[in-house]
DNA sequence: TGCAGATATTTTATGCTTGAACGATAATGG
DNA sequence: CCATTATCGTTCAAGCATAAAATATCTGCA
């Protein structure tokens, strides 16, 4: 007897449910960001990272933090620069490197968006009891650990 | 004074954690689908839907089930047809409509992928105790209900 | 009948994302 | 010192995704 079959099916259901929650919510956040601020989620994410680093971030660090490829960041920053929300600055110590930073307009805009964003999340998550929020935080942490372990075991193959 | 702040911050943390779990896992699934079967996740999803409908599905039904736009489906099906995994069939009753269905090769290929997929999920989720899986299924269902309610309340605005 | 509106799909423009290839610069080791 | 190697950012081609406009067909009703 193995415990896989039944367990596997439940895990599959869990994965589908997780994905549908995540997609449902992120689609709604994207919709509202677009409707209220004419901004996309990836742009919002970039601005969120930059907002916590007043001295700016190198492009490589930004792409690592956002877990996306370098080539992706280039285009994202291009558009944010066009809109005057972000500036590129040469690094005096390393001529390969470029640092990006929010402009004053970018920082102001981000603060407005962040306030709205937090309220939206509360609208969407507010139906959960605090206990359930705690449990989910815990269990999702467990899932993350499990997944990271699963990643590594496949690496070793 | 409002009662939001504390709760809102936890909800925000939960949202970020949910998103990072979902992204982590789906990136890994994409990577493996590509490495082992040279297939993308959206293509796999289309094939999964078609596999449960031996008589095929109309494009509109397919886009509704996958919760993506019509225009998206067009290109996805184009590529699957090129690869010989799917066929388009005219509907004799309605000349606007097109039904798509897995070819025999498509069905065979999907069954192989589905087997591997289930094993991958078990690798990634297997670190969770069955109790935790149950709890997550429950709590995520609660989250979904909360989010759907939040969607509707915004509609009414 | 004939036509207004609904429905089914495709097309188009735009943006995000990836992986791979590339050019420029920096760091290292003989 | 110079050649090799590594790092930083960009470019490119391909694919996914959306919203909006276009096309074709169907349906209901006056």
């Amino acid at each position: 007897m193995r415990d896989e079959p039944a367990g596997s099916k439940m895990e599959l259901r869990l994965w589908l449910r997780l994905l549908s929650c995540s997609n449902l919510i992120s689609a709604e956040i994207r919709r509202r960001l677009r409707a209220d601020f004419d901004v996309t989620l990836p742009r919002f994410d970039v601005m969120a990272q930059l907002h916590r680093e007043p001295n700016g971030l190198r492009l490589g660090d930004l792409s690592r933090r956002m877990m996306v490829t370098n080539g992706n960041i280039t285009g994202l920053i291009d558009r944010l620069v066009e809109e005057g929300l972000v500036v590129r600055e040469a690094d005096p110590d390393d001529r390969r490197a470029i640092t990006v930073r929010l402009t004053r307009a970018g920082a102001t805009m981000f603060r407005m968006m962040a306030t709205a964003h937090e309220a939206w999340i509360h609208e969407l998550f507010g139906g959960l009891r605090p206990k359930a929020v705690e449990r989910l935080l815990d269990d999702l942490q467990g899932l993350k650990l499990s997944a990271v372990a699963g990643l590594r075991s496949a690496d070793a193959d």
Side-chain angles (χ1 to χ4, degrees), chain A:
Chain A
M1 275 288 265
R2 308 173 24 202
D3 62 344
E4 319 265 38
S8 262
K9 293 297 179 204
M10 291 304 269
E11 288 158 6
L12 204 47
R13 283 185 59 197
L14 174 53
W15 168 231
L16 296 177
R17 188 165 296 175
L18 177 62
L19 203 50
S20 90
C21 274
S22 162
N23 288 343
L24 179 69
I25 295 166
S26 90
E28 180 66 9
I29 297 294
R30 284 169 201 269
R31 201 182 63 68
R32 296 189 188 192
L33 278 175
R34 178 178 170 167
D36 291 7
F37 298 103
D38 195 29
V39 142
T40 63
L41 185 53
R43 264 121 120 156
F44 176 74
D45 289 342
V46 168
M47 294 176 75
Q49 290 299 329
L50 294 183
H51 191 257
R52 330 152 92 194
E53 299 289 342
N55 294 331
L57 265 180
R58 303 228 307 213
L59 292 177
D61 292 333
L62 190 53
S63 75
R64 266 184 293 281
R65 290 201 194 186
M66 297 185 57
M67 306 213 292
V68 299
T69 56
N70 271 345
N72 191 355
I73 294 293
T74 297
L76 239 25
I77 294 295
D78 283 350
R79 287 173 215 113
L80 287 168
V81 168
E82 269 176 35
E83 296 171 38
L85 301 171
V86 160
V87 284
R88 275 191 173 93
E89 286 168 351
D91 183 323
D93 299 333
D94 185 339
R95 287 194 294 173
R96 292 169 305 178
I98 289 181
T99 294
V100 287
R101 167 203 324 249
L102 285 183
T103 60
R104 180 178 294 269
T108 301
M109 167 131 185
F110 175 73
R111 277 189 291 269
M112 289 186 355
M113 293 192 297
T115 302
H117 180 257
E118 191 170 326
W120 295 339
I121 295 300
H122 185 65
E123 267 182 60
L124 297 171
F125 284 66
L128 287 180
R129 290 211 212 71
K131 281 279 191 205
V133 174
E134 291 284 346
R135 265 200 315 271
L136 276 167
L137 269 168
D138 250 35
D139 285 334
L140 287 175
Q141 181 63 26
L143 172 56
K144 197 173 202 168
L145 292 177
S146 166
V148 168
L151 253 60
R152 271 205 266 281
S153 76
D155 256 4
D157 285 355

